[in-house]
Amino acid sequence: MSTSSVSKGCFVFKPSAKKKKRTLDVGDYFIDGCEGSGNSELRFKLCQSLWDKMKTETEVLQDELNRKILDRLLEFAGRPSSTFQHGADDWAARMRASEIPTAALVLGVNVPDHDMTFQSLSDLLRQSVTPHVASVQAKECGALKHLMQRVLERLMGTVVSVDEEEEGDEEAEHASTQLHNKRVHCSLGTLCDWYKSKTKRSNNGTPNKKRSSHVRDEQPQPPVVIIFKDLEAFNPRVLQDFILICSRYVEHLPLMFIFGIATSPSTIQHILPHSVSSLLCIELFQSLSCTQHLSTVIDKLILTPQFPFKLSGKVLQVLVGIFLYHDFSVRNFIKGLQLSLLEHFHSQPLSVLCCRKKEALANVLQLSHQDLESVRQLPSFRRYVERQEPQEQVNLLTDDTHIKGVCQKLIKGLRKYHKNFYPILRCLHTLTSSLPKYPLGKQIRELYILCLEKNVWENEEYQSAMQLLRMLARDELVASLQTCAEILKPVKAKKMRNVLDQLEDLLVSGETAANGEEITSPEKGLQKKTDLFQLQKTLLEMKESRRSKKMSPFEILRNEAVDFIDSLVRCYLAPPESQPLNEVCYYSSSAVVRRHLNATPRTSIQTALTAACSTCCATGGISNAAPDICIVHKLHLECGRLINLYDWLEGGHLEIEYVQTTCARKMPDDDNAVFIAVSELEFLGFIKSTKQKTDHVARLTWGGC
Amino acid sequence: MAALLQHPCYEEERLRRVADKLPCREVQAGTLLSVMGGPEQHSFPSIFIYGHRASGKSHVIHMLLRELELPHATVSCVECVSVALLFEQVLLSLFGCDAASLLPRSPSLSDFVRIYRQQCSHSPAVQTRYIVMEKAELLRDMDANLLPALLRLQELVQDNVTVILLSEIVWDKFRPNTGCFEPLQLHFPDYSKGELQQILAQDSHPSYSAELYSSYINILLGVFYSVCRDLRELRHLAALNFSKFCEPLEEGKVKESDTHKLWRNIEPHLKKAMQTVYLREVSSVQWEQLQQMEEKDTGAVRGLSAHAHVELPYYSKFLLIAAYLASYNPARTDKRFFVKHHGKVRKTNFLKKHEKTSNHLLGPKPFPLDRLLAIFYSVVDSRVAPTASIFSQISSLVTLQLLAQVGHDDQIDAPKYKCAVSLDFIRAISRTVNFDIVKYLYDFL
């Protein structure tokens, strides 16, 4: 704060009410570093609303995908436990060993995604089956008593918050001021008593209702579900002991386990010996594979005209690459999508136009002169301008109102392009995905990336796919054309309606052609025994005759159909680069995404160290900014696995002396400088002290100059 | 038979009732009873009973103590995560909850002895008190003074108390190196086939004759006796498969006397049970459902180990392959396998015959992180940047227990790992990425 006073003194500043109230929220951060801050607030709003829509869409998707397995699990949990509910009168129940029902839930190696599944699972269990659900993670259960403590806390603590002292059992530091008889021990016996009182109370609480609804099963016994989120990470001893203890109480307590398994169910057998696993009644539940999950997410979020925000081929490739090569995590993929969405709205001032049609058209009218200038600088727009008449070109480059009108037109065009693009893409995929060797990729995302990169019909793979299509059997072709028709049916765009009509015509004529087709049997001539020469001759003749033979009606029709598809592709599957104003919707800086999501800390350190060094070497004099650590690092690269500190020091002296002579840099204490640099290098993980040789340090990296 | 279980202090009738409930364990029960003596007599300070799982140790003790109405406390050591729990349970069942609540927070052994003596002076023992410790082998992991003290608890508390330890392992493995009081040892041998038959045949199904059930047990033991002598497990299996055994009887195809036909019917079924439900490949509920489903879709339910396939991200697969190679190849051979122009290595020199013990027999060897990465970069076919996610994949492989981290020193600078997967597993993995791992393994040259 500054005053206009000349003299020194104390001044009272009343805090302005406005400033105090305002705390920095997400929006402010967004707006602060934004480029072209004129419309940053609007962009932030657009970004948020778009992301909210996408998020709800993914959540709905997640629920749908998990529904099947969760339903099965709920059914499993709701099933009355055989050992607990049967009376003593049932012979088989009396004879059978009491087992704890256990669900082995195989979720795949994408551990970050599991949390969401477990969250919805425990929510659903709480809603429909039992209030008693506890989930534990391996990292919080190092020892048996911790596991016990967590389980008890989560089961009892959620309902009764009164007895908090039960956790203080092993914490002797707690002053033992509580009354002794109130103390609760960390044992399953306690849980058992609690459960009994709980069920009894709930029964007594509403006796009339209960009696009327549960006439046959006199006591509803909700199971106690314990979820082990990551089975692999648990200490086997702890788990074994816990199961042994639980099995002692299974007559009194309807326990149930859910094991979350990341690898394969046989880990259960690795972790638990037979004596323990024989106490469990394990049932297997396999969840959807994460690649399928990803395809659905891409299908619903990216391959749809519903969301105006689009990823360019490169960015999508980076995101898919991270998924396939590194983590298999759908959650991380969606996070990456969110990041690129945020980056797009943050860095592209024209992203105000990346919203629904009405808003976009309205926003075009609000564009400032500066914005319009940036429109004019868009490469796609410049290409568009070049194609226009000279007079029109001048108009576009000078007249602001005119360009607004053109922009509106172009935005509409872009929307239409998207509306037509995806249905045709899907059609092409259905046609080519059944071809041998998958010339255009097995997954639709591969085809999509191809189409984004360049004109797909210029690809060699596309040509070969078309050739293969021309050889397709009738029933296959008809089936895939029918699926194409199915895809096109719900699309409302006018052009697609026309396409659909044409396609249906083709299908109908295909039917008639099939009826009229005569059956030829080329094998007829081969039946009698012949020698090799004659066989060759007849085969050649047959080939000749076939070539010259008139094509059957079906073949003509097939060619027609393939040509039709080809024309559709050429018409509608042009890459987005060809569309003017595509920069508004497409986010293309893959390097940024890669830098954020797949960081290379080691490379950055390395380049930081060597780059500073190389500048000094190249110019002959080390700039004053080049720190000692660079020199030390450079020297260490010349050494072997073990580095003699004395030699290093000498080398350092030489170098530093050189530095001092060349640029007269002040060095207070040479030895110290080198030692500090050495310890910095150790901190960065390049070297470590070793006991193998005195006065030596070991290198932790390999290679060098 | 009842002659074995005789004691002047108890009525004959009562002892006979006990003996009826302890089939095939009369000898052991008799010995125990004679050691325990009459209810008022002082008994041996500590008794150690050992024998395999389900050989009747706890059953005999509990039957004796309960039927003869002797004061006792039973503690399962696996449940006692802290000594406090153990002490509390003993005091609770011997003196009631008032005594248990006297225990301070995190009590020591002397606290326990003090309170015991205090309680004891209020209500001195009329009859011998028994403290039964199940799974006593876990006592070894608790405080070092606990086991020796329990063994001579009688002396410490000056009360007529006997500690009975039940364990599956022999006393030699218990003996602390500081020495201790030697308890009286008693061995419970395994049940013989005949004894198992006799015990299992006792609980026959109410709606079928005892002879039929006995013959069923005979068949069952014929199949399972070679792999399983656990009474609990056998009883479980008997219950699971009995309905299948009775199926032809229910349908009226076979008469009860036609044992051969019944055997023909059940035998393959039991063999299948041995491979599936006994190993817990298939849960018992699923097994019962299978029985109702008939033969046609039995292939529908597959065992746990059938799902051995693990899907991994692309680089994780290569990391795992590199780890496997680093674990099973000697480090000096890396140059030959992974350097393009490694110079001429003479084959005879390279394969030193005398050291050609299979590395696969010796198990995986630890390797440092940089060796893993060096091999990784040379096996993976494209250029890979050393990104953060490559390193995080290594640690996630460790949490998935496909790699194991070894050694405790220097975890940050130079961690060492072992590969914890089998050859079959790694072959399946490398097949998916078109990598011929056998060509790179020193053992298969």
Side-chain angles (χ1 to χ4, degrees):
Chain A
M1 299 250 172
S2 60
T3 61
S4 52
S5 170
V6 199
S7 62
K8 281 185 182 178
C10 286
F11 299 95
V12 179
F13 291 103
K14 276 192 186 159
S16 61
K18 224 181 188 178
K19 209 161 201 181
K20 207 176 176 188
K21 218 168 137 191
R22 207 184 111 171
T23 47
L24 278 179
D25 64 350
V26 201
D28 297 328
Y29 284 112
F30 183 90
I31 292 159
D32 271 354
C34 225
E35 278 171 44
S37 50
N39 46 19
S40 54
E41 270 172 55
L42 180 62
R43 266 148 63 191
F44 178 67
K45 242 179 253 161
L46 286 177
C47 174
Q48 282 231 307
S49 72
L50 192 56
W51 172 242
D52 285 344
K53 260 183 246 159
M54 285 174 131
K55 205 173 148 198
T56 41
E57 181 79 26
T58 47
E59 273 160 11
V60 169
L61 203 69
Q62 211 94 37
D63 283 349
E64 251 167 55
L65 287 173
N66 282 332
R67 173 153 309 141
K68 212 168 146 197
I69 189 157
L70 288 183
D71 281 350
R72 273 183 63 209
L73 266 172
L74 287 185
E75 190 256 333
F76 172 80
R79 199 188 293 163
S81 123
S82 55
T83 48
F84 188 71
Q85 296 256 319
H86 279 299
D89 50 316
D90 190 352
W91 175 83
R94 202 180 60 233
M95 290 283 295
R96 273 174 52 169
S98 46
E99 290 174 322
I100 305 171
T102 305
L105 181 56
V106 182
L107 290 167
V109 293
N110 45 336
V111 182
D113 295 354
H114 296 180
D115 269 347
M116 213 142 39
T117 317
F118 281 120
Q119 191 54 48
S120 50
L121 173 64
S122 51
D123 286 348
L124 280 176
L125 280 174
R126 283 215 180 89
Q127 273 169 25
S128 59
V129 181
T130 167
H132 316 304
V133 182
S135 47
V136 284
Q137 259 177 317
K139 66 175 175 219
E140 51 190 18
C141 311
L144 180 60
K145 62 181 169 191
H146 297 130
L147 175 57
M148 283 286 216
Q149 192 188 335
R150 296 280 174 278
V151 168
L152 289 191
E153 262 175 23
R154 274 165 211 176
L155 284 175
M156 301 158 68
T158 49
V159 196
V160 254
S161 53
V162 191
D163 39 24
E164 276 157 6
E165 64 266 36
E166 45 122 352
E167 61 173 359
D169 184 36
E170 53 267 39
E171 280 149 33
E173 307 92 39
H174 271 226
S176 54
T177 43
Q178 303 105 319
L179 288 174
H180 280 305
N181 50 7
K182 255 199 171 180
R183 198 171 61 191
V184 187
H185 262 304
C186 210
S187 77
L188 268 194
T190 323
L191 186 66
C192 221
D193 296 339
W194 169 82
Y195 182 77
K196 259 180 214 149
S197 68
K198 198 81 197 151
T199 44
K200 208 182 282 168
R201 199 192 308 158
S202 67
N203 274 359
N204 293 345
T206 51
N208 301 333
K209 276 185 211 162
K210 277 275 147 67
R211 206 152 293 159
S212 54
S213 58
H214 299 275
V215 185
R216 271 163 290 128
D217 45 346
E218 62 283 298
Q219 250 192 344
Q221 302 274 25
V224 176
V225 183
I226 301 172
I227 302 174
F228 297 87
K229 282 187 179 172
D230 39 357
L231 186 77
E232 279 93 352
F234 271 92
N235 182 354
R237 280 281 336 198
V238 171
L239 206 62
Q240 285 165 27
D241 285 349
F242 186 72
I243 293 171
L244 280 176
I245 297 171
C246 286
S247 75
R248 289 170 53 87
Y249 287 94
V250 75
E251 272 96 19
H252 314 289
L253 201 62
L255 280 165
M256 175 178 294
F257 294 152
I258 294 175
F259 290 159
I261 298 174
T263 50
S264 72
S266 47
T267 23
I268 297 178
Q269 288 155 335
H270 293 161
I271 290 178
L272 304 176
H274 182 249
S275 60
V276 177
S277 65
S278 67
L279 300 171
L280 303 175
C281 180
I282 303 166
E283 209 159 307
L284 193 65
F285 296 87
Q286 195 113 27
S287 81
L288 201 68
S289 85
C290 48
T291 39
Q292 267 171 294
H293 194 160
L294 179 79
S295 333
T296 340
V297 167
I298 288 185
D299 205 53
K300 287 273 150 57
L301 287 188
I302 293 175
L303 301 180
T304 164
Q306 190 190 347
F307 302 110
F309 172 70
K310 299 287 164 203
L311 296 176
S312 78
K314 285 232 175 67
V315 177
L316 187 61
Q317 235 163 0
V318 168
L319 291 182
V320 171
I322 290 174
F323 176 86
L324 289 178
Y325 287 120
H326 291 293
D327 57 6
F328 268 0
S329 162
V330 178
R331 204 182 70 156
N332 286 357
F333 180 84
I334 294 172
K335 285 262 177 258
L337 190 63
Q338 186 186 8
L339 176 83
S340 21
L341 177 78
L342 207 61
E343 272 289 328
H344 178 64
F345 278 95
H346 189 76
S347 61
Q348 174 62 268
L350 291 177
S351 54
V352 272
L353 305 180
C354 179
C355 49
R356 271 182 297 142
K357 190 175 164 190
K358 248 186 215 160
E359 291 174 63
L361 292 182
N363 284 341
V364 167
L365 297 178
Q366 307 291 325
L367 285 180
S368 65
H369 177 70
Q370 202 188 344
D371 292 330
L372 291 172
E373 277 306 312
S374 52
V375 168
R376 285 178 187 129
Q377 262 151 35
L378 290 179
S380 67
F381 189 77
R382 270 156 57 183
R383 253 172 287 158
Y384 170 75
V385 171
E386 276 157 27
R387 266 180 279 141
Q388 305 303 316
E389 302 287 313
Q391 180 53 42
E392 176 73 8
Q393 281 184 7
V394 173
N395 273 348
L396 279 175
L397 292 179
T398 52
D399 188 355
D400 276 5
T401 42
H402 180 67
I403 198 182
K404 276 183 186 170
V406 173
C407 276
Q408 284 188 331
K409 205 180 80 196
L410 291 178
I411 292 276
K412 277 184 203 161
L414 198 61
R415 287 191 53 79
K416 260 184 214 135
Y417 163 75
H418 281 145
K419 267 190 184 154
N420 301 332
F421 186 89
Y422 295 107
I424 298 295
L425 181 78
R426 277 171 217 275
C427 289
L428 183 62
H429 177 67
T430 40
L431 282 166
T432 54
S433 61
S434 56
L435 294 177
K437 284 198 191 162
Y438 312 105
L440 289 177
K442 212 174 182 178
Q443 303 280 348
I444 193 165
R445 57 166 188 262
E446 298 166 43
L447 180 62
Y448 180 55
I449 289 173
L450 270 183
C451 294
L452 287 181
E453 305 266 90
K454 56 175 186 178
N455 290 339
V456 66
W457 55 89
E458 282 163 11
N459 258 332
E460 265 176 51
E461 285 84 12
Y462 178 79
Q463 308 289 354
S464 65
M466 282 298 137
Q467 257 166 17
L468 285 172
L469 276 181
R470 280 175 213 277
M471 285 185 275
L472 221 54
R474 200 187 74 90
D475 43 351
E476 277 180 69
L477 186 68
V478 168
S480 32
L481 284 179
Q482 258 157 0
T483 13
C484 289
E486 292 293 316
I487 291 169
L488 291 174
K489 249 173 213 162
V491 184
K492 283 190 201 84
K494 213 183 284 167
K495 280 182 185 154
M496 290 297 111
R497 290 263 156 225
N498 290 340
V499 170
L500 181 61
D501 289 342
Q502 276 171 296
L503 197 64
E504 271 167 353
D505 286 349
L506 268 176
L507 279 171
V508 170
S509 48
E511 288 293 319
T512 51
N515 295 338
E517 202 173 347
E518 84 268 38
I519 300 143
T520 54
S521 51
E523 280 83 16
K524 222 190 284 169
L526 286 178
Q527 272 169 6
K528 59 176 186 283
K529 260 188 183 171
T530 47
D531 59 321
L532 200 63
F533 176 71
Q534 266 190 331
L535 179 73
Q536 214 171 5
K537 219 170 90 185
T538 41
L539 279 176
L540 271 174
E541 272 169 16
M542 276 169 63
K543 204 176 167 192
E544 280 299 306
S545 69
R546 199 177 298 165
R547 194 169 293 160
S548 59
K549 206 179 79 180
K550 207 173 65 150
M551 284 196 288
S552 73
F554 166 66
E555 277 166 337
I556 296 169
L557 208 63
R558 183 169 61 186
N559 278 347
E560 213 173 286
V562 175
D563 286 339
F564 174 61
I565 297 291
D566 190 42
S567 69
L568 283 182
V569 168
R570 280 166 202 269
C571 183
Y572 296 110
L573 284 191
E577 253 99 274
S578 64
Q579 304 298 315
L581 286 190
N582 70 74
E583 288 90 345
V584 166
C585 296
Y586 283 83
Y587 177 69
S588 56
S589 39
S590 59
V592 175
V593 175
R594 196 195 303 271
R595 205 172 61 227
H596 281 296
L597 295 181
N598 204 2
T600 54
R602 236 171 140 146
T603 329
S604 325
I605 293 176
Q606 201 85 25
T607 40
L609 287 172
T610 49
C613 215
S614 65
T615 50
C616 65
C617 294
T619 54
I622 297 180
S623 67
N624 273 349
D628 303 333
I629 189 170
C630 291
I631 302 164
V632 175
H633 175 256
K634 189 185 154 222
L635 286 173
H636 117 284
L637 285 178
E638 291 156 12
C639 301
R641 213 184 75 76
L642 286 177
I643 306 171
N644 189 331
L645 263 181
Y646 182 74
D647 292 350
W648 206 3
L649 208 59
E650 283 297 296
H653 278 312
L654 284 178
E655 195 86 7
I656 288 169
E657 266 167 34
Y658 170 71
V659 173
Q660 276 178 331
T661 50
T662 48
C663 45
R665 184 172 157 202
K666 216 178 140 210
M667 286 276 172
D669 189 345
D670 298 345
D671 272 0
N672 251 352
V674 174
F675 274 120
I676 288 171
V678 167
S679 61
E680 275 172 354
L681 215 53
E682 185 170 358
F683 177 70
L684 287 177
F686 284 92
I687 52 166
K688 64 164 185 168
S689 55
T690 176
K691 285 171 194 156
Q692 284 177 10
K693 257 181 172 177
T694 46
D695 294 346
H696 279 67
V697 289
R699 259 184 83 179
L700 292 169
T701 54
W702 69 95
C705 304
Chain B
M1 246 199 251
L4 285 165
L5 215 58
Q6 266 184 349
H7 203 276
C9 301
Y10 300 103
E11 305 126 44
E12 288 250 335
E13 182 50 39
R14 217 167 169 194
L15 286 176
R16 188 185 303 280
R17 216 169 45 223
V18 176
D20 282 346
K21 290 187 178 166
L22 302 173
C24 311
R25 280 286 172 253
E26 292 87 359
V27 185
Q28 284 78 19
T31 326
L32 253 180
L33 197 62
S34 54
V35 171
M36 283 154 66
E40 289 88 21
Q41 296 163 351
H42 261 258
S43 170
F44 205 75
S46 49
I47 305 171
F48 181 80
I49 301 175
Y50 66 103
H52 281 149
R53 240 161 81 80
S55 53
K57 302 179 294 287
S58 322
H59 182 66
V60 167
I61 289 287
H62 286 148
M63 273 303 153
L64 282 177
L65 294 177
R66 206 175 302 147
E67 291 293 323
L68 303 177
E69 287 163 2
L70 299 168
H72 65 276
T74 310
V75 185
S76 169
C77 292
V78 67
E79 216 176 316
C80 299
V81 286
S82 59
V83 277
L85 269 177
L86 192 147
F87 296 152
E88 193 186 84
Q89 286 193 14
V90 171
L91 290 176
L92 190 77
S93 33
L94 289 184
F95 302 107
C97 56
D98 290 343
S101 60
L102 285 177
L103 272 176
R105 265 195 124 65
S106 55
S108 68
L109 185 67
S110 55
D111 287 326
F112 170 67
V113 172
R114 180 173 51 82
I115 291 167
Y116 193 102
R117 286 173 82 153
Q118 193 184 327
Q119 291 294 319
C120 203
S121 58
H122 292 313
S123 53
V126 188
Q127 297 181 325
T128 316
R129 292 181 173 126
Y130 293 95
I131 300 173
V132 183
M133 300 262 170
E134 287 173 356
K135 295 208 191 296
E137 58 267 20
L138 289 168
L139 286 176
R140 296 177 302 172
D141 302 332
M142 294 186 191
D143 296 346
N145 63 352
L146 186 64
L147 182 63
L150 282 177
L151 288 171
R152 49 203 317 168
L153 192 66
Q154 199 174 68
E155 259 175 75
L156 280 172
V157 298
Q158 291 170 342
D159 183 34
N160 186 5
V161 61
T162 293
V163 176
I164 301 175
L165 303 172
L166 306 180
S167 174
E168 285 177 32
I169 54 180
V170 290
W171 172 247
D172 291 343
K173 306 268 180 197
F174 277 74
R175 204 171 281 132
N177 44 17
T178 47
C180 67
F181 181 81
E182 289 283 309
L184 190 73
Q185 292 175 44
L186 196 59
H187 178 54
F188 274 49
D190 280 351
Y191 291 113
S192 71
K193 198 174 178 180
E195 285 169 338
L196 281 176
Q197 159 90 31
Q198 190 189 335
I199 297 167
L200 285 171
Q202 275 188 349
D203 29 42
S204 66
H205 199 278
S207 44
Y208 295 96
S209 72
E211 290 81 49
L212 179 80
Y213 194 75
S214 169
S215 67
Y216 166 64
I217 290 300
N218 207 358
I219 296 169
L220 186 87
L221 281 178
V223 175
F224 280 103
Y225 184 69
S226 53
V227 292
C228 172
R229 294 170 191 201
D230 185 337
L231 189 60
R232 178 183 174 277
E233 194 68 22
L234 282 171
R235 183 176 287 167
H236 181 66
L237 288 166
L240 281 185
N241 294 307
F242 189 60
S243 63
K244 183 81 181 173
F245 178 74
C246 297
E247 219 169 61
L249 293 173
E250 303 261 302
E251 289 166 7
K253 282 185 199 155
V254 187
K255 270 184 273 173
E256 276 199 21
S257 53
D258 199 350
T259 43
H260 185 69
K261 265 195 181 153
L262 285 172
W263 176 78
R264 284 270 296 277
N265 173 46
I266 194 70
E267 216 243 352
H269 185 73
L270 288 179
K271 286 239 166 91
K272 210 172 124 212
M274 188 159 77
Q275 282 155 14
T276 53
V277 71
Y278 168 65
L279 294 176
R280 295 301 188 278
E281 287 273 307
V282 172
S283 78
S284 33
V285 174
Q286 281 174 323
W287 179 248
E288 281 178 336
Q289 284 167 355
L290 273 186
Q291 286 178 342
Q292 287 155 10
M293 270 201 302
E294 290 301 310
E295 306 300 317
K296 56 180 192 294
D297 23 50
T298 39
V301 176
R302 293 192 296 162
L304 288 184
S305 52
H307 302 265
H309 175 67
V310 179
E311 264 189 63
L312 287 173
Y314 189 71
Y315 288 146
S316 293
K317 284 178 184 170
F318 273 109
L319 280 171
L320 201 59
I321 289 171
Y324 193 85
L325 292 174
S327 259
Y328 286 97
N329 281 347
R332 62 178 179 81
T333 61
D334 283 355
K335 210 172 169 192
R336 183 210 178 274
F337 283 124
F338 303 114
V339 179
K340 281 267 162 59
H341 307 290
H342 51 81
K344 212 157 186 137
V345 184
R346 283 181 58 196
K347 200 159 189 189
T348 45
N349 218 356
F350 178 66
L351 303 167
K352 281 179 190 151
K353 274 284 175 278
H354 60 272
E355 67 159 35
K356 190 104 176 100
T357 357
S358 169
N359 286 311
H360 280 86
L361 290 180
L362 297 172
K365 291 190 182 58
F367 53 85
L369 175 65
D370 44 2
R371 191 173 161 224
L372 169 71
L373 287 176
I375 297 179
F376 169 70
Y377 288 126
S378 66
V379 292
V380 80
D381 44 5
S382 54
R383 263 180 64 92
V384 191
T387 58
S389 38
I390 294 280
F391 291 99
S392 73
Q393 277 180 63
I394 298 177
S395 47
S396 52
L397 284 175
V398 173
T399 37
L400 295 177
Q401 295 197 331
L402 300 171
L403 293 186
Q405 196 159 15
V406 286
H408 293 288
D409 55 333
D410 225 359
Q411 291 282 16
I412 296 174
D413 281 342
K416 285 191 166 181
Y417 302 94
K418 268 184 182 184
C419 187
V421 300
S422 65
L423 181 62
D424 287 338
F425 186 90
I426 204 75
R427 281 174 98 158
I429 290 279
S430 45
R431 212 173 298 131
T432 57
V433 291
N434 291 325
F435 181 81
D436 189 6
I437 192 161
V438 177
K439 264 196 348 208
Y440 287 87
L441 279 170
Y442 181 64
D443 278 356
F444 299 104
L445 278 182

